[in-house]
Amino acid sequence: MHWRDRRWWTWGLLALVLAGCDRPGEKAEAGRIAAAEQRPGDPVRGRDALLNRAVVTCGPPHAAYAARAAAAEAPALNPAGRTGRNAELPYMLTAHVDPAGVELVTSNCLGCHAAPLEGELVIGLGNEFLDLTEDPLVAIEALGAGLAPGPERAAWRRWADRVGRVADYMMTDTVGVNSANNLTLALMAHRDPQTLAWSDAPLIAPPPTRPLPVSVPPWWHLAKKHALFYNGEGRGDHVRYMMLASTTCTDSVAEARAIDAWFVDVRAYLATLRPPPYPYPIDTELARVGARVFADRCASCHGTQGADGRYPNKLVALGKVGTDPALARAAFADADRFLDWFHDSFYGELGRSRPGLGYVAPPLDGIWATAPYLHNGAVPTLADLLESGARPAFWRHQRSGQALPEYDTERLGWRYRRLAAGKSAAMSWEERKHIYDTSLHGYGNQGHDFGDRLDPAARRALLEYLKTL
Amino acid sequence: MGGRGRHRLMALAAAWLLGGCEAPSAPPAPTADALVEGVALVATGVAPGALRLPDDHAAHPRQGGELWRLQAKLEVAGDRPQLFTLGIVRLNLGRPSRPQSSAWSSDALLWGWSARLGPDGPGLAQRRARATLGLAGAALSPARVWVRDWGLALGPGRPPWRLVFEDAEGTRLVLGGSRPALGLARLGETLGVEATTAGLQGYLLSGLTVAGRLVVAGRARPVTGQAWFEHLWGGGEGGTGAGAGLRLTRLTLQLDDARTLACVELRRAEAGGRPIPGCVLVDAAAQVHRFRRRELRLEPLEGGARPARWRLEIPAVALAVELTPWDDALETIAPGVAVRVAGRAEGRVIEGWGWVESIGPGQRRRGEGE
């Protein structure tokens, strides 16, 4: 079309006008996601900040925390570089002194984004065993119950009331699945986007109180990914998205700006993370065969490895990938008010949130370690992922108490038990919460059948290759 | 409960001893404290000891406070039903002694009260005695607790239960039933925590039938009825006194379709926070169903620290009922408020009766200035 064509002007103007009205509803098309420049930061300072600085600025007073028997135990798995009081706290807690001088114990990113592997804490590995099914309210009230009126009680109250408001948006009905994105939406609903001031009553309609299940993605994809989140909506500057879910008590733009100033370092650190190598033997001959299968069947979406590797950053349409559509659909169709909020806020100044009706084909680096698979964690092992007919409809991890399951080097994933029936057949809450039931809304294990047409030998070889990533 | 808690118990016990013959003006606060602490400690996740019956029918000398209680709706031929409650509290006055096999030797006070509400109007009776004087005590085998002429025989160790209350005037109530004992830990679990603690333990025997005779002012009348019995102990070693600042409300309801509901609501005594309710439903077939905060709605329909009007809804069993005071007179003489239950369950009209008790700091009687 020639630029002097009248119709060009007409359509152009119309498009401009529509774009104006349409701004918040801006959605992404399937396909490649363009790179976005990230602000530079110092990864060494970033690691120190991640381990020692509080991003959540409210929590129970240290005194109340220390009165609990469990606090007396030496913290397990604490990574090197935790300094001062933090060296005494479990890795998922960070000490913080509030403006009134009260020392607080606050939660940090590592509760979800770090997990033990082979007896060591791996920073960046998603915690797929977190139990968000428990009602936190009793424990919260108990922590404050012994505090006399004064600054400590006031600090406890601020945290208790805040968490109390959002607890229902975080509680899941299955151990292991996460709800952080639903929490983010709940925090938005309670804040003025311009000032970030907190409101006890929601200012826009809050998200549903039954969060859709999500698995926690590993941080070591960050160096490759152009957009954050499963549906690729996190376009532009990554730092402020990362902060968003965790600024439970950041009630002013000034405070958010102060966190942003050091969070560029945290992002820079996260972008240096690499996956842990597969710790068991690998049949390198077989893996070489598998590499060819991968190049043939998988690389167009997931990219290639090695020095000359390239990662295409593709958002794959729901119709093509076929996995459970609920998460992508909810963010695409039922979340415009949150897109508006984001774009009107400090957090949206440097980015554009663009949900797509599909899922990003993630890099597969360290894929052996990040079971269970798919955005909702519905598929327990890689062997199951490559053969959709073999996936269990109902399953639970094979573990006793808090111990982690064993790693299954045949199927690549944590050992699980296939069950004959789902949650509705379970007799107790305790039993019910451990069952992954793919018949529930958002928990589906369908789709991604790209491995189905492989013959068993090729599939075996491909599995072997996946160990090397 | 630590030293601080024990001082509180002793002060209260001393106040009662010195209080003469007046009706006590407060509910048995030591048990109340123990209850609140028990629930608060639930959060620390210490597993409770397993229930050991028949031993647990008897006293727990290492614990600071203890309560045996039965609550009943009694039918008298040709008259309106009456509500009847009987409680016996044991308080340690000295240091808790080592556990003993048959009774206990520490200095303890037993205080019993009974309250009646019915056609004859409200009636209160009470008995008090120091255990060391032999006028009160608790024996293990057969399990029995007594204060002066009041005696409560407990047993056996497993269903069918047979409990007998007798006094010197000739009242004799025999309670029987065959549902399993409900450990208090189950109720703690409804609050969303895994297990309760050494802070408070106990059990509830629900769905009991009553037969016997009630003697009022020398006049004996045969009675039948429904009842539950509970036995709670706590405030011993291992607690931390962490319950301050919380108010616990217990609602125990007997529905006329033979189901029993035991609910709790924990809330901050000061304004703010979110109330945390939980319920256990024991059905006619003795199946136990637990409902947590997000599975039910429980809300007071009036203000104040000790509301008696409540609404309870449990959608999973299509139950929606309202509680109203049975009679305003009873609450002034018995701990808690007797209530009528009315509403619908699975489309049918349902009625019942029960007790509501709120315990915790700053508690006031209903109707007092808030």
Side-chain angles (χ1 to χ4, degrees), chain A residues 306-365:
Chain A
D308 56 348
R310 34 147 221 105
Y311 169 63
N313 266 295
K314 263 191 198 169
L315 179 74
V316 181
L318 287 180
K320 192 157 185 182
V321 68
T323 52
D324 191 298
L327 185 75
R329 278 194 188 142
F332 190 83
D334 298 332
D336 283 0
R337 61 192 185 282
F338 301 114
L339 292 183
D340 281 350
W341 188 100
F342 180 77
H343 293 134
D344 287 347
S345 78
F346 167 79
Y347 298 103
E349 274 176 3
L350 303 178
R352 277 241 129 345
S353 185
R354 298 194 67 202
L357 257 187
Y359 298 110
V360 173
L364 298 182
D365 307 59

Side-chain angles (χ1 to χ4, degrees), chain A residues 191-379:
Chain A
R191 274 189 207 295
D192 180 302
Q194 308 283 342
T195 63
L196 301 185
W198 178 263
S199 159
D200 273 342
L203 302 170
I204 52 177
T209 48
R210 302 202 100 200
L212 290 167
V214 279
S215 159
V216 184
W219 274 345
W220 57 76
H221 289 165
L222 241 62
K224 290 185 170 181
K225 285 178 92 171
H226 292 165
L228 302 185
F229 309 123
Y230 289 111
N231 63 350
E233 72 177 300
R235 311 288 173 99
D237 177 74
H238 291 174
V239 172
R240 295 193 183 174
Y241 289 104
M242 295 182 195
M243 290 168 55
L244 190 51
S246 301
T247 43
T248 321
C249 295
T250 307
D251 296 351
S252 74
V253 175
E255 288 168 71
R257 206 174 288 288
I259 294 173
D260 183 69
W262 57 269
F263 233 77
V264 291
D265 296 332
V266 173
R267 192 212 62 85
Y269 167 63
L270 300 190
T272 66
L273 292 174
R274 295 292 173 266
Y278 186 75
Y280 310 106
I282 298 178
D283 179 340
T284 44
E285 242 347 277
L286 190 57
R288 236 191 298 280
V289 177
R292 287 197 292 276
V293 180
F294 187 86
D296 208 29
R297 305 285 185 111
C298 320
S300 62
C301 287
H302 291 288
T304 51
Q305 303 294 127
D308 56 348
R310 34 147 221 105
Y311 169 63
N313 266 295
K314 263 191 198 169
L315 179 74
V316 181
L318 287 180
K320 192 157 185 182
V321 68
T323 52
D324 191 298
L327 185 75
R329 278 194 188 142
F332 190 83
D334 298 332
D336 283 0
R337 61 192 185 282
F338 301 114
L339 292 183
D340 281 350
W341 188 100
F342 180 77
H343 293 134
D344 287 347
S345 78
F346 167 79
Y347 298 103
E349 274 176 3
L350 303 178
R352 277 241 129 345
S353 185
R354 298 194 67 202
L357 257 187
Y359 298 110
V360 173
L364 298 182
D365 307 59
I367 192 68
W368 72 271
T370 63
Y373 298 101
L374 297 181
H375 67 275
N376 56 2
V379 179

Side-chain angles (χ1 to χ4, degrees), chain A residues 26 34 36 50 63 73 103 182 204 227 258 281 287 294 307 353 357 362 389 406 431 443 450 453 466:
Chain A
E26 203 180 344
L50 178 73
E73 291 164 26
E103 190 188 357
N182 208 53
I204 52 177
F294 187 86
S353 185
L357 257 187
E406 268 177 47
E431 190 186 340
Y443 286 79
F450 308 114
R453 278 179 303 268
L466 293 178

Side-chain angles (χ1 to χ4, degrees), chain A residues 134-135 145 157 161 164 168 429, chain B residues 192 194 242 244 268 270 274 293:
Chain A
E134 288 301 328
D135 194 342
R157 252 192 94 136
D161 290 351
D168 288 358
W429 171 269
Chain B
E194 292 298 318
R268 224 178 276 173
E270 65 192 31
R274 289 176 69 181
R293 177 172 67 86

Side-chain angles (χ1 to χ4, degrees), chain B residues 51-54 57 154-163 175-182 203-208 282 285-286:
Chain B
L51 207 54
R52 289 189 326 269
L53 291 169
H57 282 318
L154 303 142
R158 70 169 81 92
W161 311 107
R162 185 181 150 84
L163 287 74
L175 286 71
S178 52
R179 293 185 192 167
L182 181 70
Y203 57 92
L204 175 74
L205 307 181
S206 69
L208 303 175
V282 187

